Amino acid sequence: MSEIELGITADMHVHLRDGKMMELIAPTVREGGISVAYIMPNLVPPITTIDRVVEYKQQLENLSPKTTFLMSFYLSPELTPELINEAASKGAIQGVKCYPAGVTTNSAHGVDPNDFTKFYPVFEAMEKNNLVLNLHGEKPAKKDDEEINILNAEPLFLPILEKLHSDFPNLKIILEHCTSKQAVEMIEKLNSGYKPGDKVNVAGTITAHHLSLTIDNWAGNPINYCKPVAKFPQDKKYLIEAVTSGKPYFFFGSDSAPHPIEGKARHTGVCAGIYTQKYAISYLAEVFEKKDKLDQLKKFVSDFGLEFYDVDTSKLKNSDKCWLVKRKFNVPEIIGNKEITVVPFKAGDELDWQIEWR
Ligand code: NCD
Ligand code: ZN
């Protein structure tokens, strides 16, 4: 097999930033073979108003007119049920992203997930409007408490997910960028009654980079540092099983998160985030091919995400189909211009599969 049709592809977790970085990165979603992208709201300041989200979407569309952008709000006390109702009725957002305070890049305005009850009216409004709640699933560490760390923060978050799903069984919830065996098992558990044809309400997205990284790869290399961090080989194995399983509650969210190279080489602390668009589909293809599961790739990068988000594919910005073509290329060492340099994931590596629009 040297060509595979992936159809209308979807990356349901993308950071495109603003300003000069946005200008550089927004077009690479299309260049990377993605039709539909769900955009993260963790700008500075975070996106919490209809005017701002509409303006941001317009800026992105100007830079990449053929990409369909799905937009999100940043969960914060400024969000009210009325605002959610209005944003949903205008089609301004498809979901709300929840960042526990302090766990990752631009999460300073995040929330305390140990007590979500004050957001319950917002979640009720989201449930009613069929919006998605996107969870960054890491439990924040408390001051002077060393029991929570970057390796166990995700497993420790899972009971919070379980409770939310049980309190809002009809709210669509995603555990974003699953990185651990326990996360995969929790998503399986919450879908244990699933039968083909059922609607999925709780899902996990999985990135491309977590299918090839483990702890050793980021401990010595800030380019591979992201949150949640890549865990152990056994966790990676579970993630690869999940993405190739053909189960509709696991689908693609790259968490492509560009940082200027200076942010990756600071003595004051390294920025979390790995830039994987525009080669994310090529990274995935390597993993699926190795497992002899290339026939499952379309479900993971197209069908399941579109289904979960109820994307109406007759209303996209364009109807081109993404094809995967077996043709070697080298990931560039850097992408950028005079002002910004970003080092892509697997910089310099030779990959086997490229994408084409047809
Ligand atoms: C993301 C970023 O840089 O915005 N970083 C990351 O490590 N994944 C934020 C996030 O999604 O956690
Ligand atoms: Zn992210």
PDB file of all heavy atoms in Angstrom, residues 114-140:
ATOM      1  N   ASN A 114     -10.061  20.540  42.110  1.00  0.00           N
ATOM      2  CA  ASN A 114     -10.471  19.755  43.269  1.00  0.00           C
ATOM      3  C   ASN A 114     -11.906  20.090  43.681  1.00  0.00           C
ATOM      4  O   ASN A 114     -12.546  19.327  44.388  1.00  0.00           O
ATOM      5  CB  ASN A 114      -9.521  20.017  44.445  1.00  0.00           C
ATOM      6  CG  ASN A 114      -8.118  19.549  44.087  1.00  0.00           C
ATOM      7  OD1 ASN A 114      -7.931  18.395  43.732  1.00  0.00           O
ATOM      8  ND2 ASN A 114      -7.152  20.458  44.141  1.00  0.00           N
ATOM      9  N   ASP A 115     -12.378  21.247  43.240  1.00  0.00           N
ATOM     10  CA  ASP A 115     -13.774  21.585  43.509  1.00  0.00           C
ATOM     11  C   ASP A 115     -14.355  22.317  42.307  1.00  0.00           C
ATOM     12  O   ASP A 115     -14.191  23.524  42.148  1.00  0.00           O
ATOM     13  CB  ASP A 115     -13.885  22.464  44.766  1.00  0.00           C
ATOM     14  CG  ASP A 115     -15.345  22.784  45.048  1.00  0.00           C
ATOM     15  OD1 ASP A 115     -16.217  22.143  44.424  1.00  0.00           O
ATOM     16  OD2 ASP A 115     -15.596  23.676  45.863  1.00  0.00           O
ATOM     17  N   PHE A 116     -15.038  21.532  41.486  1.00  0.00           N
ATOM     18  CA  PHE A 116     -15.610  22.094  40.269  1.00  0.00           C
ATOM     19  C   PHE A 116     -17.016  22.641  40.487  1.00  0.00           C
ATOM     20  O   PHE A 116     -17.619  23.144  39.550  1.00  0.00           O
ATOM     21  CB  PHE A 116     -15.699  20.995  39.192  1.00  0.00           C
ATOM     22  CG  PHE A 116     -14.509  20.926  38.290  1.00  0.00           C
ATOM     23  CD1 PHE A 116     -13.918  19.701  37.988  1.00  0.00           C
ATOM     24  CD2 PHE A 116     -13.997  22.072  37.689  1.00  0.00           C
ATOM     25  CE1 PHE A 116     -12.835  19.632  37.128  1.00  0.00           C
ATOM     26  CE2 PHE A 116     -12.911  22.005  36.824  1.00  0.00           C
ATOM     27  CZ  PHE A 116     -12.333  20.779  36.543  1.00  0.00           C
ATOM     28  N   THR A 117     -17.546  22.509  41.717  1.00  0.00           N
ATOM     29  CA  THR A 117     -18.991  22.758  41.875  1.00  0.00           C
ATOM     30  C   THR A 117     -19.387  24.174  41.465  1.00  0.00           C
ATOM     31  O   THR A 117     -20.479  24.378  40.951  1.00  0.00           O
ATOM     32  CB  THR A 117     -19.466  22.476  43.317  1.00  0.00           C
ATOM     33  OG1 THR A 117     -18.559  23.131  44.215  1.00  0.00           O
ATOM     34  CG2 THR A 117     -19.498  20.990  43.613  1.00  0.00           C
ATOM     35  N   LYS A 118     -18.470  25.122  41.636  1.00  0.00           N
ATOM     36  CA  LYS A 118     -18.879  26.486  41.258  1.00  0.00           C
ATOM     37  C   LYS A 118     -19.063  26.629  39.734  1.00  0.00           C
ATOM     38  O   LYS A 118     -19.689  27.570  39.275  1.00  0.00           O
ATOM     39  CB  LYS A 118     -17.923  27.527  41.831  1.00  0.00           C
ATOM     40  CG  LYS A 118     -16.565  27.589  41.207  1.00  0.00           C
ATOM     41  CD  LYS A 118     -15.843  28.851  41.718  1.00  0.00           C
ATOM     42  CE  LYS A 118     -14.458  28.882  41.161  1.00  0.00           C
ATOM     43  NZ  LYS A 118     -13.408  29.263  42.004  1.00  0.00           N
ATOM     44  N   PHE A 119     -18.527  25.671  38.986  1.00  0.00           N
ATOM     45  CA  PHE A 119     -18.719  25.732  37.529  1.00  0.00           C
ATOM     46  C   PHE A 119     -19.907  24.877  37.068  1.00  0.00           C
ATOM     47  O   PHE A 119     -20.190  24.808  35.871  1.00  0.00           O
ATOM     48  CB  PHE A 119     -17.452  25.272  36.798  1.00  0.00           C
ATOM     49  CG  PHE A 119     -16.319  26.235  36.972  1.00  0.00           C
ATOM     50  CD1 PHE A 119     -15.231  25.921  37.772  1.00  0.00           C
ATOM     51  CD2 PHE A 119     -16.345  27.477  36.354  1.00  0.00           C
ATOM     52  CE1 PHE A 119     -14.190  26.822  37.950  1.00  0.00           C
ATOM     53  CE2 PHE A 119     -15.309  28.386  36.518  1.00  0.00           C
ATOM     54  CZ  PHE A 119     -14.227  28.053  37.319  1.00  0.00           C
ATOM     55  N   TYR A 120     -20.585  24.234  38.003  1.00  0.00           N
ATOM     56  CA  TYR A 120     -21.665  23.334  37.586  1.00  0.00           C
ATOM     57  C   TYR A 120     -22.749  24.035  36.748  1.00  0.00           C
ATOM     58  O   TYR A 120     -23.227  23.458  35.767  1.00  0.00           O
ATOM     59  CB  TYR A 120     -22.238  22.580  38.793  1.00  0.00           C
ATOM     60  CG  TYR A 120     -21.460  21.292  39.107  1.00  0.00           C
ATOM     61  CD1 TYR A 120     -20.120  21.155  38.750  1.00  0.00           C
ATOM     62  CD2 TYR A 120     -22.078  20.206  39.740  1.00  0.00           C
ATOM     63  CE1 TYR A 120     -19.410  19.995  39.020  1.00  0.00           C
ATOM     64  CE2 TYR A 120     -21.368  19.026  40.011  1.00  0.00           C
ATOM     65  CZ  TYR A 120     -20.035  18.925  39.649  1.00  0.00           C
ATOM     66  OH  TYR A 120     -19.339  17.768  39.905  1.00  0.00           O
ATOM     67  N   PRO A 121     -23.125  25.282  37.104  1.00  0.00           N
ATOM     68  CA  PRO A 121     -24.114  25.946  36.225  1.00  0.00           C
ATOM     69  C   PRO A 121     -23.587  26.128  34.795  1.00  0.00           C
ATOM     70  O   PRO A 121     -24.347  26.010  33.828  1.00  0.00           O
ATOM     71  CB  PRO A 121     -24.330  27.307  36.912  1.00  0.00           C
ATOM     72  CG  PRO A 121     -23.964  27.065  38.350  1.00  0.00           C
ATOM     73  CD  PRO A 121     -22.835  26.060  38.323  1.00  0.00           C
ATOM     74  N   VAL A 122     -22.282  26.396  34.661  1.00  0.00           N
ATOM     75  CA  VAL A 122     -21.690  26.526  33.321  1.00  0.00           C
ATOM     76  C   VAL A 122     -21.704  25.170  32.605  1.00  0.00           C
ATOM     77  O   VAL A 122     -22.065  25.072  31.425  1.00  0.00           O
ATOM     78  CB  VAL A 122     -20.242  27.077  33.428  1.00  0.00           C
ATOM     79  CG1 VAL A 122     -19.487  26.932  32.112  1.00  0.00           C
ATOM     80  CG2 VAL A 122     -20.274  28.533  33.864  1.00  0.00           C
ATOM     81  N   PHE A 123     -21.364  24.108  33.338  1.00  0.00           N
ATOM     82  CA  PHE A 123     -21.368  22.769  32.718  1.00  0.00           C
ATOM     83  C   PHE A 123     -22.787  22.369  32.302  1.00  0.00           C
ATOM     84  O   PHE A 123     -22.982  21.744  31.251  1.00  0.00           O
ATOM     85  CB  PHE A 123     -20.794  21.720  33.687  1.00  0.00           C
ATOM     86  CG  PHE A 123     -19.334  21.926  34.031  1.00  0.00           C
ATOM     87  CD1 PHE A 123     -18.777  21.312  35.153  1.00  0.00           C
ATOM     88  CD2 PHE A 123     -18.518  22.713  33.242  1.00  0.00           C
ATOM     89  CE1 PHE A 123     -17.437  21.491  35.476  1.00  0.00           C
ATOM     90  CE2 PHE A 123     -17.165  22.902  33.560  1.00  0.00           C
ATOM     91  CZ  PHE A 123     -16.631  22.289  34.679  1.00  0.00           C
ATOM     92  N   GLU A 124     -23.780  22.753  33.123  1.00  0.00           N
ATOM     93  CA  GLU A 124     -25.174  22.454  32.748  1.00  0.00           C
ATOM     94  C   GLU A 124     -25.533  23.137  31.430  1.00  0.00           C
ATOM     95  O   GLU A 124     -26.152  22.536  30.547  1.00  0.00           O
ATOM     96  CB  GLU A 124     -26.144  22.939  33.832  1.00  0.00           C
ATOM     97  CG  GLU A 124     -26.391  21.911  34.918  1.00  0.00           C
ATOM     98  CD  GLU A 124     -26.977  22.524  36.182  1.00  0.00           C
ATOM     99  OE1 GLU A 124     -27.755  23.504  36.078  1.00  0.00           O
ATOM    100  OE2 GLU A 124     -26.629  22.036  37.271  1.00  0.00           O
ATOM    101  N   ALA A 125     -25.125  24.392  31.310  1.00  0.00           N
ATOM    102  CA  ALA A 125     -25.415  25.130  30.065  1.00  0.00           C
ATOM    103  C   ALA A 125     -24.678  24.482  28.888  1.00  0.00           C
ATOM    104  O   ALA A 125     -25.213  24.366  27.784  1.00  0.00           O
ATOM    105  CB  ALA A 125     -25.000  26.590  30.208  1.00  0.00           C
ATOM    106  N   MET A 126     -23.462  24.027  29.128  1.00  0.00           N
ATOM    107  CA  MET A 126     -22.701  23.368  28.055  1.00  0.00           C
ATOM    108  C   MET A 126     -23.378  22.070  27.632  1.00  0.00           C
ATOM    109  O   MET A 126     -23.504  21.770  26.442  1.00  0.00           O
ATOM    110  CB  MET A 126     -21.273  23.072  28.533  1.00  0.00           C
ATOM    111  CG  MET A 126     -20.421  24.330  28.669  1.00  0.00           C
ATOM    112  SD  MET A 126     -18.853  23.985  29.458  1.00  0.00           S
ATOM    113  CE  MET A 126     -18.142  22.809  28.301  1.00  0.00           C
ATOM    114  N   GLU A 127     -23.841  21.327  28.622  1.00  0.00           N
ATOM    115  CA  GLU A 127     -24.509  20.053  28.341  1.00  0.00           C
ATOM    116  C   GLU A 127     -25.742  20.290  27.464  1.00  0.00           C
ATOM    117  O   GLU A 127     -25.959  19.603  26.469  1.00  0.00           O
ATOM    118  CB  GLU A 127     -24.900  19.415  29.682  1.00  0.00           C
ATOM    119  CG  GLU A 127     -25.379  17.985  29.610  1.00  0.00           C
ATOM    120  CD  GLU A 127     -25.581  17.415  31.026  1.00  0.00           C
ATOM    121  OE1 GLU A 127     -26.144  18.115  31.897  1.00  0.00           O
ATOM    122  OE2 GLU A 127     -25.170  16.266  31.251  1.00  0.00           O
ATOM    123  N   LYS A 128     -26.511  21.305  27.862  1.00  0.00           N
ATOM    124  CA  LYS A 128     -27.737  21.636  27.124  1.00  0.00           C
ATOM    125  C   LYS A 128     -27.425  22.040  25.683  1.00  0.00           C
ATOM    126  O   LYS A 128     -28.177  21.764  24.759  1.00  0.00           O
ATOM    127  CB  LYS A 128     -28.411  22.818  27.842  1.00  0.00           C
ATOM    128  CG  LYS A 128     -29.906  22.739  27.880  1.00  0.00           C
ATOM    129  CD  LYS A 128     -30.508  23.836  28.731  1.00  0.00           C
ATOM    130  CE  LYS A 128     -30.165  25.214  28.246  1.00  0.00           C
ATOM    131  NZ  LYS A 128     -30.041  26.243  29.243  1.00  0.00           N
ATOM    132  N   ASN A 129     -26.280  22.713  25.487  1.00  0.00           N
ATOM    133  CA  ASN A 129     -25.930  23.225  24.158  1.00  0.00           C
ATOM    134  C   ASN A 129     -25.017  22.295  23.370  1.00  0.00           C
ATOM    135  O   ASN A 129     -24.470  22.693  22.343  1.00  0.00           O
ATOM    136  CB  ASN A 129     -25.259  24.598  24.300  1.00  0.00           C
ATOM    137  CG  ASN A 129     -26.251  25.688  24.652  1.00  0.00           C
ATOM    138  OD1 ASN A 129     -27.064  26.074  23.829  1.00  0.00           O
ATOM    139  ND2 ASN A 129     -26.206  26.162  25.886  1.00  0.00           N
ATOM    140  N   ASN A 130     -24.820  21.084  23.876  1.00  0.00           N
ATOM    141  CA  ASN A 130     -23.994  20.084  23.173  1.00  0.00           C
ATOM    142  C   ASN A 130     -22.555  20.560  22.970  1.00  0.00           C
ATOM    143  O   ASN A 130     -21.919  20.243  21.968  1.00  0.00           O
ATOM    144  CB  ASN A 130     -24.648  19.736  21.821  1.00  0.00           C
ATOM    145  CG  ASN A 130     -24.082  18.469  21.214  1.00  0.00           C
ATOM    146  OD1 ASN A 130     -23.686  17.536  21.939  1.00  0.00           O
ATOM    147  ND2 ASN A 130     -24.015  18.407  19.892  1.00  0.00           N
ATOM    148  N   LEU A 131     -22.047  21.353  23.918  1.00  0.00           N
ATOM    149  CA  LEU A 131     -20.649  21.801  23.831  1.00  0.00           C
ATOM    150  C   LEU A 131     -19.741  20.788  24.531  1.00  0.00           C
ATOM    151  O   LEU A 131     -20.179  20.027  25.395  1.00  0.00           O
ATOM    152  CB  LEU A 131     -20.477  23.172  24.488  1.00  0.00           C
ATOM    153  CG  LEU A 131     -21.219  24.340  23.836  1.00  0.00           C
ATOM    154  CD1 LEU A 131     -20.927  25.628  24.594  1.00  0.00           C
ATOM    155  CD2 LEU A 131     -20.842  24.488  22.371  1.00  0.00           C
ATOM    156  N   VAL A 132     -18.478  20.829  24.177  1.00  0.00           N
ATOM    157  CA  VAL A 132     -17.500  19.871  24.699  1.00  0.00           C
ATOM    158  C   VAL A 132     -16.708  20.512  25.851  1.00  0.00           C
ATOM    159  O   VAL A 132     -16.298  21.672  25.746  1.00  0.00           O
ATOM    160  CB  VAL A 132     -16.537  19.456  23.569  1.00  0.00           C
ATOM    161  CG1 VAL A 132     -15.421  18.560  24.098  1.00  0.00           C
ATOM    162  CG2 VAL A 132     -17.300  18.756  22.446  1.00  0.00           C
ATOM    163  N   LEU A 133     -16.510  19.746  26.906  1.00  0.00           N
ATOM    164  CA  LEU A 133     -15.600  20.188  27.977  1.00  0.00           C
ATOM    165  C   LEU A 133     -14.265  19.475  27.769  1.00  0.00           C
ATOM    166  O   LEU A 133     -14.188  18.241  27.820  1.00  0.00           O
ATOM    167  CB  LEU A 133     -16.184  19.840  29.350  1.00  0.00           C
ATOM    168  CG  LEU A 133     -15.263  20.161  30.547  1.00  0.00           C
ATOM    169  CD1 LEU A 133     -15.000  21.662  30.658  1.00  0.00           C
ATOM    170  CD2 LEU A 133     -15.868  19.639  31.858  1.00  0.00           C
ATOM    171  N   ASN A 134     -13.217  20.259  27.522  1.00  0.00           N
ATOM    172  CA  ASN A 134     -11.879  19.698  27.276  1.00  0.00           C
ATOM    173  C   ASN A 134     -11.070  19.819  28.557  1.00  0.00           C
ATOM    174  O   ASN A 134     -10.821  20.927  29.028  1.00  0.00           O
ATOM    175  CB  ASN A 134     -11.169  20.496  26.177  1.00  0.00           C
ATOM    176  CG  ASN A 134     -12.028  20.681  24.943  1.00  0.00           C
ATOM    177  OD1 ASN A 134     -12.720  21.670  24.805  1.00  0.00           O
ATOM    178  ND2 ASN A 134     -11.993  19.718  24.060  1.00  0.00           N
ATOM    179  N   LEU A 135     -10.645  18.702  29.071  1.00  0.00           N
ATOM    180  CA  LEU A 135      -9.914  18.731  30.343  1.00  0.00           C
ATOM    181  C   LEU A 135      -8.423  18.534  30.135  1.00  0.00           C
ATOM    182  O   LEU A 135      -7.999  17.539  29.523  1.00  0.00           O
ATOM    183  CB  LEU A 135     -10.409  17.612  31.260  1.00  0.00           C
ATOM    184  CG  LEU A 135     -11.865  17.677  31.720  1.00  0.00           C
ATOM    185  CD1 LEU A 135     -12.211  16.427  32.522  1.00  0.00           C
ATOM    186  CD2 LEU A 135     -12.109  18.933  32.554  1.00  0.00           C
ATOM    187  N   HIS A 136      -7.639  19.465  30.649  1.00  0.00           N
ATOM    188  CA  HIS A 136      -6.214  19.177  30.832  1.00  0.00           C
ATOM    189  C   HIS A 136      -6.143  18.385  32.127  1.00  0.00           C
ATOM    190  O   HIS A 136      -6.368  18.928  33.206  1.00  0.00           O
ATOM    191  CB  HIS A 136      -5.391  20.471  30.918  1.00  0.00           C
ATOM    192  CG  HIS A 136      -3.921  20.211  31.050  1.00  0.00           C
ATOM    193  ND1 HIS A 136      -3.006  20.547  30.085  1.00  0.00           N
ATOM    194  CD2 HIS A 136      -3.219  19.596  32.035  1.00  0.00           C
ATOM    195  CE1 HIS A 136      -1.800  20.164  30.477  1.00  0.00           C
ATOM    196  NE2 HIS A 136      -1.896  19.590  31.663  1.00  0.00           N
ATOM    197  N   GLY A 137      -5.845  17.099  32.013  1.00  0.00           N
ATOM    198  CA  GLY A 137      -6.022  16.205  33.154  1.00  0.00           C
ATOM    199  C   GLY A 137      -4.791  16.049  34.019  1.00  0.00           C
ATOM    200  O   GLY A 137      -4.192  14.972  34.051  1.00  0.00           O
ATOM    201  N   GLU A 138      -4.416  17.091  34.708  1.00  0.00           N
ATOM    202  CA  GLU A 138      -3.334  16.963  35.682  1.00  0.00           C
ATOM    203  C   GLU A 138      -3.754  17.652  36.968  1.00  0.00           C
ATOM    204  O   GLU A 138      -4.255  18.783  36.934  1.00  0.00           O
ATOM    205  CB  GLU A 138      -2.034  17.586  35.166  1.00  0.00           C
ATOM    206  CG  GLU A 138      -1.382  16.808  34.051  1.00  0.00           C
ATOM    207  CD  GLU A 138       0.012  17.334  33.742  1.00  0.00           C
ATOM    208  OE1 GLU A 138       0.124  18.438  33.180  1.00  0.00           O
ATOM    209  OE2 GLU A 138       0.990  16.641  34.071  1.00  0.00           O
ATOM    210  N   LYS A 139      -3.547  16.953  38.063  1.00  0.00           N
ATOM    211  CA  LYS A 139      -3.889  17.534  39.355  1.00  0.00           C
ATOM    212  C   LYS A 139      -2.778  18.502  39.759  1.00  0.00           C
ATOM    213  O   LYS A 139      -1.601  18.127  39.789  1.00  0.00           O
ATOM    214  CB  LYS A 139      -4.024  16.409  40.380  1.00  0.00           C
ATOM    215  CG  LYS A 139      -4.642  16.863  41.676  1.00  0.00           C
ATOM    216  CD  LYS A 139      -5.227  15.687  42.412  1.00  0.00           C
ATOM    217  CE  LYS A 139      -5.469  16.066  43.843  1.00  0.00           C
ATOM    218  NZ  LYS A 139      -6.631  15.400  44.415  1.00  0.00           N
ATOM    219  N   PRO A 140      -3.149  19.751  40.080  1.00  0.00           N
ATOM    220  CA  PRO A 140      -2.085  20.705  40.426  1.00  0.00           C
ATOM    221  C   PRO A 140      -1.440  20.345  41.759  1.00  0.00           C
ATOM    222  O   PRO A 140      -2.125  19.882  42.675  1.00  0.00           O
ATOM    223  CB  PRO A 140      -2.810  22.046  40.533  1.00  0.00           C
ATOM    224  CG  PRO A 140      -4.232  21.814  40.198  1.00  0.00           C
ATOM    225  CD  PRO A 140      -4.480  20.355  40.121  1.00  0.00           C
TER     226      PRO A 140
END
